[in-house]
Amino acid sequence: MALLWPACAVSLQVQSRELLVVGAQFERVFEYQDSGEYAGLGVELVRLMATRTGYTVRFRMLPWARAQAMLVQGQADILIGPYKTPERIASMGFSDKPFYQDQMVFYTRQDASFDWDGDPAVLKNRRVVLLNGWAYGTDWERMRHGLQISVANNVENGLKMLVHKHVDVFVSNRRNTDPVISRLGYGRQVKPLPKVIEIQNGYFAFPRSPAFDKLRLQFDQELNKLIETGELKRLGKRYDVGVP
């Protein structure tokens, strides 16, 4: 004889499934610690929202390009931290609101004569390094054509290329880069230029498949509550992350 489960029990079993949440090492947003634990503003928000909506969570740290590909292919439920671009909007479902904000800047060596005043012409004949899979905003996309561009897989490698004079300029954001400069002891060798290239907002992203619409809407509701109550702002201060 078939065992009949109450409808509420079946609903609870479906609702409490485990979510695979992926991302790359983003300072103070998504970090893998020596203890084996994950931490950061994005991690805490996902845990909060998952608890409130009845899910469990498993995190996985990956190279940024790989993390994005897994989400687009439906192999992960949530991607922590992407900025919006037209290409990403076509392949990912973004949270309604961003949860953090970054300043994109140029880094140069302390003794460099290069200064950034907003004129793309000053970049001519300068060797520039970018990070693989990162989006830098529409202003940068317009000015990058014709430049001598290299690609690094992470912030540490980009900074080392700059310090060892393989490139002249490293393009990154301050939240991700300033802590790495401190850890590497590069404070006297590298400097950020004061003029900001662009402000970028960071979001949670979900696969675009309709099967993930419910999850995205549930997380949107919870994130809106965190914004309205001021909890997101308080968490941003705790993690030293800019909040829109």
Side-chain angles (χ1 to χ4, degrees):
M1 180 177 176
L3 187 61
L4 298 178
W5 291 85
C8 61
V10 174
S11 174
L12 185 61
Q13 282 185 325
V14 173
Q15 180 78 338
S16 62
R17 75 175 178 88
E18 183 181 72
L19 302 176
L20 176 58
V21 182
V22 298
Q25 178 75 22
F26 283 2
E27 297 288 330
R28 302 194 289 265
V29 170
F30 187 48
E31 298 182 336
Y32 184 72
Q33 301 179 319
D34 292 340
S35 63
E37 295 295 316
Y38 288 91
L41 176 61
V43 171
E44 179 148 354
L45 289 174
V46 167
R47 284 178 173 146
L48 271 174
M49 295 187 290
T51 298
R52 294 176 184 183
T53 49
Y55 296 96
T56 58
V57 181
R58 176 166 58 96
F59 296 98
R60 187 176 173 191
M61 182 75 70
L62 296 160
W64 186 228
R66 174 63 180 144
Q68 294 176 75
M70 281 189 67
L71 186 87
V72 170
Q73 295 162 12
Q75 297 172 351
D77 298 285
I78 301 173
L79 176 67
I80 291 183
Y83 306 148
K84 278 186 178 180
T85 67
E87 294 78 17
R88 289 176 181 170
I89 290 170
S91 60
M92 303 177 185
F94 280 79
S95 55
D96 180 48
K97 303 271 178 60
F99 72 95
Y100 74 98
Q101 194 170 73
D102 279 333
Q103 294 181 340
M104 309 301 295
V105 299
F106 290 126
Y107 287 85
T108 64
R109 290 182 293 278
Q110 286 281 6
D111 59 358
S113 59
F114 173 72
D115 195 17
W116 170 244
D117 60 1
D119 181 7
V122 303
L123 292 167
K124 190 176 181 182
N125 300 322
R126 308 272 181 179
R127 299 164 300 168
V128 179
V129 62
L130 307 178
L131 289 163
N132 188 26
W134 279 35
Y136 288 88
T138 52
D139 287 348
W140 170 253
E141 290 303 317
R142 282 195 294 267
M143 70 177 78
R144 66 175 289 171
H145 299 292
L147 300 181
Q148 301 176 49
I149 292 178
S150 301
V151 176
N153 285 325
N154 55 51
V155 171
E156 182 173 330
N157 287 346
L159 287 169
K160 286 180 177 178
M161 289 174 71
L162 182 62
V163 167
H164 294 295
K165 300 184 179 181
H166 298 305
V167 296
D168 305 302
V169 181
F170 176 37
V171 195
S172 188
N173 65 59
R174 297 208 60 169
R175 173 192 50 78
N176 256 311
T177 311
D178 290 355
V180 181
I181 290 173
S182 296
R183 284 204 299 270
L184 295 175
Y186 284 171
R188 294 184 178 181
Q189 296 166 274
V190 173
K191 64 181 179 183
L193 299 184
K195 185 174 179 61
V196 175
I197 305 167
E198 192 153 342
I199 299 291
Q200 291 276 46
N201 289 322
Y203 295 78
F204 295 108
F206 307 79
R208 283 195 65 85
S209 166
F212 292 87
D213 286 351
K214 180 180 178 181
L215 173 64
R216 178 173 50 79
L217 291 172
Q218 287 175 316
F219 271 55
D220 277 346
Q221 289 177 345
E222 295 305 323
L223 182 57
N224 284 334
K225 289 177 189 175
L226 293 168
I227 293 170
E228 290 163 7
T229 61
E231 195 165 355
L232 176 61
K233 196 163 281 187
R234 287 192 293 274
L235 288 172
K237 286 182 180 177
R238 185 201 299 174
Y239 286 101
D240 193 21
V241 174
V243 172

